[in-house]
Amino acid sequence: METVKIPGTDLDVSRIALGTWAIGGWMWGGTDEKAAIDTIHAALDKGVTLIDTAPVYGFGRSEEIVGKAIKQYGQRDKIFISTKAGLEWKDEKVFRNSHPERIAKEVEDSLRRLQTDVVDVYFIHWPHPAVPFEETARLMESLKDQGKIRAIGVSNYDPEQMDAFRNAAGLNVCQPPYNLFERQIEGGISAYCRRNHIALMTYGALCRGLLSGKMTADREFGGDDLRKNDPKFQQPRFGQYLKAAERIEQLARDRFGKPLLPTAVRWVLDMNVEIAIWGGRRPEQMAPLDEIDGWRIDDAFKHAVDEILQETIEAPVGPEFMAPPER
Ligand SMILES: NC(=O)c1ccc[n+]([C@@H]2O[C@H](COP(=O)([O-])OP(=O)(O)OC[C@H]3O[C@@H](n4cnc5c(N)ncnc54)[C@H](OP(=O)(O)O)[C@@H]3O)[C@@H](O)[C@H]2O)c1
């Protein structure tokens, strides 16, 4: 498994992080704890050392399961946990809250649920412009000084918001969405992070399963699964994205002898991204981890992919539907 050192820290983490939003159940149609723990163990067995979670994923459930899985596995000192703060919930309605008092309470709740005494990478989950970014940043810096967190991150921030944050704290990691279909960071965030020595740890490598190679037009989503409302999963767009996925898979098989899923993750890693987060909730979903290392996406493939996207997707759409309201 390839690893990378997070700038400004001594953390040397796997370039693939396991995402545990679905493991929390909420917005993914429920969770199965045993399968979730087995998934985390399967990822660790295959060399993943970084697990990404958040309090809001199942309103504490994902963090609790991650804590339990790591406790059972042992070797906490070789595993890195990233979690987040700055989202509040009431009756399953989520809104942003980056007030320092809120973050100071959240970190204690997360440490308890995760059964640990330090969070390795701590993110502000979504920007909350009602609170000066410097105020939130100062609190994050003080958590680091107190030894409660090891690296500071922000998620879903734009460069201007990161500039304001960096007036008051060092910023080690940025977590935006990025995958073959969701390319918004290429408009500036990617270059900003490179210029300012901030590691990019991007989420949604499989575009919520569209790039898994297993998605079909007749897939039914149960319960509160967010894909029922995801604009990419509504026809006729859904069919266009599936067509694009099929053509990219054919190209990857012809060029590299690889199926779609490892190609989608490899593509993220070869686009100047330090860490790709890949979400899963069943242990067998981790099998393709064996097919990511030892090869590279080249420029010819990148150009061919861009042509496929232009030819197949009539009205591309981003992941904006996931953004929680400010209040
Ligand atoms: N910071 C943020 O605001 C933010 C936002 C979103 C996500 N994230 C983080 O990023 C992680 C990843 O993003 P994501 O969960 O949205 O999605 P993702 O990695 O793009 O897709 C994950 C989904 O793909 C399917 N999948 C995974 N492996 C598979 C396999 N081997 N075969 C077939 N299907 C497979 C699974 O869906 P099924 O099980 O339903 O088939 C899985 O839940 C999250 O878990 C979370 O940690 C962060």
Side-chain angles (χ1 to χ4, degrees), residues 67-312:
K68 204 166 168 179
I70 294 175
K71 198 83 179 177
Q72 283 177 13
Y73 197 82
Q75 308 178 49
R76 167 69 182 97
D77 57 331
K78 297 191 179 64
I79 301 169
F80 302 91
I81 303 173
S82 66
T83 192
K84 316 186 185 82
L87 289 182
E88 198 172 352
W89 58 87
K90 191 160 190 274
D91 304 327
E92 300 214 352
K93 294 263 184 304
V94 173
F95 47 92
R96 308 179 197 197
N97 184 348
S98 281
H99 285 100
E101 316 83 72
R102 167 78 191 169
I103 313 292
K105 176 184 179 312
E106 281 202 61
V107 74
E108 302 301 335
D109 290 344
S110 289
L111 289 171
R112 188 189 66 252
R113 287 190 289 251
L114 289 163
Q115 305 188 49
T116 189
D117 52 10
V118 64
V119 170
D120 298 291
V121 188
Y122 202 41
F123 289 95
I124 298 298
H125 206 149
W126 281 85
H128 184 202
V131 180
F133 293 106
E134 289 83 352
E135 264 185 36
T136 310
R138 266 192 293 278
L139 190 272
M140 294 289 271
E141 194 70 50
S142 88
L143 293 179
K144 198 171 171 188
D145 291 343
Q146 293 166 52
K148 293 185 179 181
I149 67 173
R150 290 203 168 104
I152 297 178
V154 293
S155 184
N156 303 301
Y157 275 48
D158 65 26
E160 211 178 306
Q161 293 164 334
M162 284 191 265
D163 266 341
F165 190 98
R166 289 171 60 239
N167 285 332
L171 186 55
N172 308 113
V173 192
C174 170
Q175 185 178 141
Y178 192 51
N179 57 60
L180 276 159
F181 292 153
E182 294 172 336
R183 312 274 291 270
Q184 289 78 358
I185 65 169
E186 292 171 13
I189 291 174
S190 181
Y192 178 90
C193 289
R194 189 135 303 273
R195 217 168 36 245
N196 293 294
H197 311 291
I198 299 165
L200 267 174
M201 175 172 168
T202 59
Y203 67 78
L206 306 184
C207 201
R208 302 173 290 290
L210 265 179
L211 290 162
S212 67
K214 300 275 166 44
M215 191 56 68
T216 55
D218 58 3
R219 164 89 187 252
E220 286 185 10
F221 301 107
D224 64 350
D225 197 305
L226 77 164
R227 290 167 291 190
K228 285 179 171 171
N229 300 312
D230 185 331
K232 278 201 186 60
F233 288 72
Q234 317 304 319
Q235 295 292 8
R237 226 186 231 131
F238 189 25
Q240 293 170 13
Y241 278 103
L242 288 174
K243 185 75 203 161
E246 190 188 309
R247 286 186 57 189
I248 295 168
E249 167 138 39
Q250 193 53 56
L251 185 68
R253 285 188 187 278
D254 293 347
R255 288 288 317 281
F256 308 117
K258 295 286 181 189
L260 183 59
L261 192 156
T263 303
V265 179
R266 188 71 250 169
W267 181 90
V268 173
L269 294 174
D270 291 345
M271 291 294 282
N272 285 325
V273 164
E274 277 74 16
I275 303 155
I277 314 178
W278 155 7
R281 52 174 153 185
R282 291 194 302 282
E284 64 274 17
Q285 289 177 332
M286 298 296 108
L289 274 168
D290 296 334
E291 292 192 78
I292 315 275
D293 281 358
W295 62 291
R296 288 281 178 280
I297 298 285
D298 56 27
D299 285 346
F301 186 85
K302 290 177 190 170
H303 291 136
V305 161
D306 291 350
E307 274 177 25
I308 291 175
L309 295 178
Q310 277 196 343
E311 286 165 16
T312 42

